[in-house]
Amino acid sequence: MTRPTRLSEAEIAAALPTLAGWEVREGKLHREYRFANFVRAFGFMSSVALVAEAMNHHPEWSNVYDRVVVDLTTHDAQGLTALDVELATRMNELAREAG
C-alpha cells in the first residue's frame, strides 16, 4: 500500500472552500457538527464509522449529546492528505442525510 502524501499549504488552501464548516486548527481539519438530538448525532457517527473503516482512515472525535467534534489528520504523513479531504467531504454528506 502506498503511503499518503502530505498536502502543501496551497493544496490545503484550495481544498478548504469545498469543505463547508471545516477549518484548519492546530494542523488538523476541524469541525463541530450539531444535530437535533443524541440519536441523530450517534447515527451520524455510526454512518461515518462505516465509511472511515472502508477507507482505513479514522477520525479523532468526541460526542456530547447533540454535538460531534471532529479532527482529521493523517498520522503516517504527519499532516493533512487527500484522505482527510475525502473523509471530510463524506462526513458533510452524511451530516446532511442525518439531519
Side-chain angles (χ1 to χ4, degrees), residues 6-22:
R6 187 174 174 170
L7 296 175
S8 69
E9 292 298 321
E11 290 170 317
I12 294 167
L16 273 176
T18 70
L19 300 173
W22 290 87

Side-chain angles (χ1 to χ4, degrees), residues 63-97:
N63 164 244
V64 177
Y65 187 63
D66 64 343
R67 184 172 51 114
V68 178
V69 178
V70 182
D71 288 301
L72 299 177
T73 188
T74 303
H75 297 284
D76 289 350
Q78 298 178 352
L80 298 175
T81 68
L83 287 171
D84 300 301
V85 173
E86 182 181 346
L87 185 53
T89 300
R90 291 289 291 131
M91 290 178 85
N92 279 356
E93 292 167 358
L94 292 167
R96 279 191 297 277
E97 293 171 14

